[in-house]
DNA sequence: GGGAGAGGGCTTTTT
DNA sequence: GCCCTCTCCC
């Protein structure tokens, strides 16, 4: 399609949002109102009008999925080669790209490794247990990791002690010291965590105004997706980088802000008008997704929230979908099992009415709720897929393989070293690893280098020396292949896919799973095969692969095309389904008790936004459930219906109670 | 150092 | 009720 046609296809508000290229603009975009269309059309418009070169446009998203979709959609409008130069990506990938240009200012070298949340927890566990002798049952590394991350979201570094008053008591008063040592270790390991990736650009901007100026001049247009999810650091980044030209367009929906527990500041979007001079706000309220009862329920429910900019959702054409105007259904059932059976029956009956199961979804508040549906669907032969859950790259065997590759490419990555030094079993236990670690810390070198020293010193027993020497020599050989100093007999470089295979083979890692007698071993071997296939065919080098997976949470979900989706409400944001099932609308479960305990009224409002997200996923039918009793953590619990049910307008809902106690 | 049982703990999880 | 992690004993 050409750009003129695209513009013509927009509604008046969308059109205004696309054509208003200059100045600060907030596009308040309700669910299903075409925000991605606005963003992509806007980029295409700027390019086609020659207002900027691709490299002068900065477009930021939160997920890789959103970035990819945007890129694809822009490429479909303008010449695809134009898209290559765009700075379009997630906050983290853009910051990484920026940091690569100035890595010398961060105390790292260009081969720095990015630690994910799992690495973060392992490192903190070491620090807390070994260096501070903290009872990690009382204060878990996960908790401390979370506190540190929240500070980083706010831009509070380990030196800003006066801003951490609330947390000084954590870990027997050692919090600041732990945070400080944690940062030191990251530096030693040539590593950064996700928070650092966003923080360091700000540090650079603060310390080197000329560099900031360079980027301010470079980026003529800045665009941001899901602005309601930005944290303080991202906000500061946007504010600085757009300050030169002043052209910033943020798209978001305050009613869909559901990530405050990860540092997102809904205040950022609420304050937009005051933050940016001469800011304009455009509201997109025409919904192209859902029928009127669904929109009325969603609008009415969310109107109970106080901290919001305020908007409603209107159906695009009330008359066009008359026969689709089923009311939102609210069903009371006896138990959790009945809830699952009732949803199963609904799926089957809507299936008979011609709805595709692929366009149905069960959206739950918490991950544990999915199990009941999984079990029931298996018994009834209903195809389903669970979205989210354990992701491919988070699987144990995948992380193991990645650790081998990481240690290959990043020799100072001690966490990867510690993960695989005894995997497969080489007879190297905690004691030996502890000694290696101690040696490394005392000399300020990596654990890998410490091993080499200790081999020379004769610090290991003869048996240990043998296995450790093999380990070290293996890595030297693999690194030789990696850097091209070891080649095929004809002098050609050995393909990196082949290298990965020899690593898995020579190390004995693959054999470990082949010989394992556990029932999951075959699946793990299969996963490893898939990984090797991906590395071999889709990446040019191991470095490229490692960089890719460090910033990606998930491999693409595939589908057979007829599965019901089961996922959390959080995971459903941005998706749509013909029929949406919303189970577990009971006090304590939803709104979630702990969310309210932790954040009071604002926690409740976030839960309500979550409900709003859930309802607005549905195109034709939304069915809400509450059970009178359910088994939670192995205990029977009597539950009362969620307060959100009372907040739905009576004229658009249909209430009923069901008992399927005698069905199977 | 490694395997088997007990104990605790448990929301959400874009990168 | 289940899974992960720690610890005890071989």
């Amino acid at each position: 399609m050409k750009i003129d046609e695209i513009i013509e296809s927009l509604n008046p508000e969308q059109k205004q949002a696309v054509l208003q290229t200059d100045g600060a603009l907030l596009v308040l975009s309700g669910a299903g109102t075409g925000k991605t269309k606005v963003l992509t059309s806007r980029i295409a418009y700027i390019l086609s009008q020659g207002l900027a070169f691709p490299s002068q446009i900065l477009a930021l998203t939160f997920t890789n999925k959103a970035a990819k979709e945007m890129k694809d959609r822009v490429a479909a409008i303008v010449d695809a080669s134009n898209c290559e130069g765009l700075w379009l990506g997630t906050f983290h990938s853009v910051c990484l790209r920026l940091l690569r240009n100035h890595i010398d200012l961060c105390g790292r070298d260009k081969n720095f490794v990015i630690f994910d949340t799992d690495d973060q927890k392992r490192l903190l566990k070491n620090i807390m247990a070994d260096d501070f002798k903290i009872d990690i049952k009382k204060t878990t590394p996960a908790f401390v990791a979370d506190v540190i991350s929240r500070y980083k979201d706010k831009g509070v570094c380990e030196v800003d002690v006066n801003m951490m008053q609330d947390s000084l008591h954590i870990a027997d008063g050692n919090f600041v010291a732990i945070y400080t040592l944690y940062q030191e270790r990251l530096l030693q390991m040539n590593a950064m965590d996700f928070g650092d990736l966003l923080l360091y650009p700000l540090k650079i901007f603060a310390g080197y105004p000329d560099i900031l100026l360079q980027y301010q001049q470079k980026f003529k247009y800045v665009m941001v997706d899901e602005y309601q999810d930005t944290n303080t650091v991202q906000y500061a980044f946007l504010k600085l980088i757009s300050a030169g030209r002043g052209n910033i367009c943020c798209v978001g929906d305050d009613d869909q802000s559901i990530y405050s527990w990860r540092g997102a500041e809904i205040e950022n979007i609420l304050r937009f008008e005051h933050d940016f001079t001469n800011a304009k706000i455009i509201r997109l309220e025409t919904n192209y997704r859902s029928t009127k009862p669904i929109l009325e329920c969603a609008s009415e429910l969310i109107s109970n929230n106080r901290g919001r900019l305020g908007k409603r959702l209107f159906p695009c054409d009330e008359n066009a979908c008359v026969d689709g105007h089923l009311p939102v259904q609210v069903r009371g059932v006896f138990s959790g099992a009945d809830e699952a059976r009732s949803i199963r029956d609904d799926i089957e009956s809507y299936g008979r009415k011609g709805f595709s199961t692929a366009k149905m979804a069960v959206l739950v508040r918490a991950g544990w709720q999915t199990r009941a549906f999984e079990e029931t669907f298996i018994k009834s032969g209903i195809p389903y897929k669970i979205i989210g859950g354990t992701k491919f790259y988070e699987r144990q065997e995948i992380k193991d393989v990645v650790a081998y590759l990481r240690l290959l490419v990043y020799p100072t990555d001690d966490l990867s070293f510690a993960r695989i030094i005894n995997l497969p079993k080489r007879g190297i236990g905690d004691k030996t690893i502890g000694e290696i670690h101690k040696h490394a810390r005392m000399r300020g070198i990596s654990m890998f280098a410490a091993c080499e020293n200790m081999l020379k010193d004769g610090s290991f027993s003869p048996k240990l020396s043998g296995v450790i020497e093999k380990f070290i020599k293996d890595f030297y050989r693999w690194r030789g292949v990696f850097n091209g100093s070891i080649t095929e007999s004809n002098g050609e470089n050995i393909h990196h896919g082949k290298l990965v295979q020899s690593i898995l083979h020579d190390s004995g890692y693959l054999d470990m799973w082949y010989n394992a007698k556990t029932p999951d071993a075959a699946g793990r071997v299969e996963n490893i095969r898939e990984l090797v296939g991906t590395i071999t065919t889709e990446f040019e080098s191991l470095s490229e692969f490692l960089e890719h997976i460090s910033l990606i949470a998930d491999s693409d979900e595939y589908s057979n095309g007829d599965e019901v989706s089961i996922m959390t409400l959080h995971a459903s944001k941005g998706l749509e389904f013909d029929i949406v099932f919303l189970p577990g609308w009971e006090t304590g479960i939803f709104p979630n008790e702990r969310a309210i305990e932790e954040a009071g009224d604002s926690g409740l409002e976030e839960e309500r936004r979550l409900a709003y997200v859930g309802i607005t996923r549905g195109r034709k039918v939304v069915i809400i459930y509450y059970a009178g009793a359910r088994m939670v953590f192995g205990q029977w619990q009597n539950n009362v219906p969620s307060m959100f049910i009372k907040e739905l307008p009576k004229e658009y809902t249909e209430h009923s109670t069901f008992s399927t106690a005698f069905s199977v």
Side-chain angles (χ1 to χ4, degrees), chain A residues 416-489:
Chain A
S416 294
F417 176 92
R419 185 183 182 106
I420 57 170
I421 181 67
N422 200 31
L423 211 86
K425 296 266 164 3
R426 298 186 177 93
I428 300 164
D430 288 348
K431 196 159 167 277
T432 313
I433 294 176
E435 278 162 22
I436 298 171
H437 186 251
K438 206 171 135 200
H439 184 102
R441 287 288 69 80
M442 274 167 57
R443 284 154 217 247
I445 58 175
S446 70
M447 290 173 75
F448 190 91
C451 275
E452 295 180 275
N453 277 351
M454 292 168 80
L455 275 175
K456 277 189 214 129
D457 299 350
S459 312
F460 298 123
S461 70
K463 208 177 106 203
L464 271 179
S465 287
V467 286
I468 293 179
E469 195 173 356
K470 178 177 185 305
F471 185 82
I472 301 277
K473 280 192 170 159
D474 277 344
F475 267 91
Y476 267 100
R477 196 172 66 253
W478 298 328
R479 282 182 194 144
V481 176
F482 172 68
N483 64 31
S485 60
I486 297 177
T487 56
E488 301 267 14
S489 48

Side-chain angles (χ1 to χ4, degrees), chain A residues 374-386:
Chain A
E374 213 175 341
E375 282 165 11
T376 305
F377 292 173
I378 286 174
K379 271 192 236 156
S380 312
I382 292 177
Y384 70 92
K385 62 176 168 181
I386 297 200

Side-chain angles (χ1 to χ4, degrees), chain A residues 642-660:
Chain A
S642 167
M643 65 188 288
F644 297 152
I645 290 175
K646 284 196 210 77
E647 297 175 2
L648 301 171
K650 285 201 176 55
E651 62 271 39
Y652 292 105
T653 50
E654 186 180 285
H655 291 252
S656 54
T657 49
F658 271 71
S659 175
T660 57

